[in-house]
Amino acid sequence: MLKNIKIFKISIVGLFFVLFATTNNSFSSTDDVCVDNIINYNICDKAKEIQKEFATQLPQQISENLILRTIASSDNMLIMNALLLYNRSYLEVALRQHNRTMESINAQMNQSTHNMMCSMIPINDFVYLGGGIVVNYNFEDGEHYLTINVDNCE
């Protein structure tokens, strides 16, 4: 009889854990991600809105060697795909000529991407309210180069 009581107590503890886990932010559902900000603004709807607005302007030449090709949204995220108008070997040769490393250019790309995204007020506000941006960079031959996540603009 005592064993049954212990099992019952464990079951209650287990049930409590399941209830706690399903309501805790670390296990949040899509709806929680969408409105988990200081004003309960639905950032997922905003991601869809931004995606639709930007998509009409694509592809867009950002610089001499960079084209922003596509944008998609998923929950509170914007996913952008950018095309570098050169290949990896061209980049590596240019880096060697200027005594730079791949790590240094990756850090520069990361900083430039953050600066570009966060300098646009609507995007800055989007990120501040819990949105995120993923930028995938690919070389002109289709090889993936770098993925940069922008999840804060501080």
Side-chain angles (χ1 to χ4, degrees):
M1 185 74 168
L2 191 55
K3 284 185 178 181
N4 290 341
I5 292 172
K6 286 182 181 179
I7 290 172
F8 180 72
K9 285 181 180 178
I10 291 171
S11 296
I12 295 294
V13 170
L15 179 61
F16 177 74
F17 177 76
V18 169
L19 290 172
F20 176 77
T22 58
T23 59
N24 189 321
N25 283 339
S26 64
F27 296 92
S28 61
S29 68
T30 299
D31 290 339
D32 292 333
V33 169
C34 294
V35 294
D36 188 21
N37 56 62
I38 61 173
I39 59 173
N40 290 327
Y41 183 77
N42 191 321
I43 205 67
C44 296
D45 288 347
K46 190 62 175 179
K48 290 175 192 170
E49 181 185 317
I50 292 170
Q51 182 271 328
K52 286 179 183 173
E53 185 179 322
F54 271 72
T56 62
Q57 303 168 33
L58 300 178
Q60 187 176 85
Q61 188 98 24
I62 303 300
S63 69
E64 181 181 339
N65 293 313
L66 179 64
I67 296 174
L68 184 58
R69 296 177 60 188
T70 63
I71 185 171
S73 66
S74 177
D75 296 334
N76 64 329
M77 301 297 294
L78 291 170
I79 302 99
M80 300 180 183
N81 292 298
L83 179 66
L84 297 166
L85 300 177
Y86 48 83
N87 59 30
R88 180 178 293 278
S89 61
Y90 174 85
L91 177 59
E92 289 171 344
V93 167
L95 290 173
R96 276 193 302 273
Q97 289 174 347
H98 293 94
N99 295 319
R100 303 251 339 248
T101 64
M102 197 61 116
E103 291 77 21
S104 72
I105 196 68
N106 292 353
Q108 182 179 335
M109 289 288 289
N110 191 332
Q111 188 63 51
S112 295
T113 301
H114 275 80
N115 290 345
M116 179 176 61
M117 294 298 155
C118 293
S119 69
M120 295 182 275
I121 292 173
I123 298 296
N124 188 308
D125 292 347
F126 171 76
V127 171
Y128 177 76
L129 290 173
I133 301 166
V134 176
V135 183
N136 295 304
Y137 289 94
N138 293 298
F139 292 112
E140 67 183 355
D141 60 6
E143 179 188 356
H144 177 73
Y145 164 52
L146 191 61
T147 298
I148 297 174
N149 297 302
V150 178
D151 56 10
N152 72 63
C153 286
E154 295 176 24

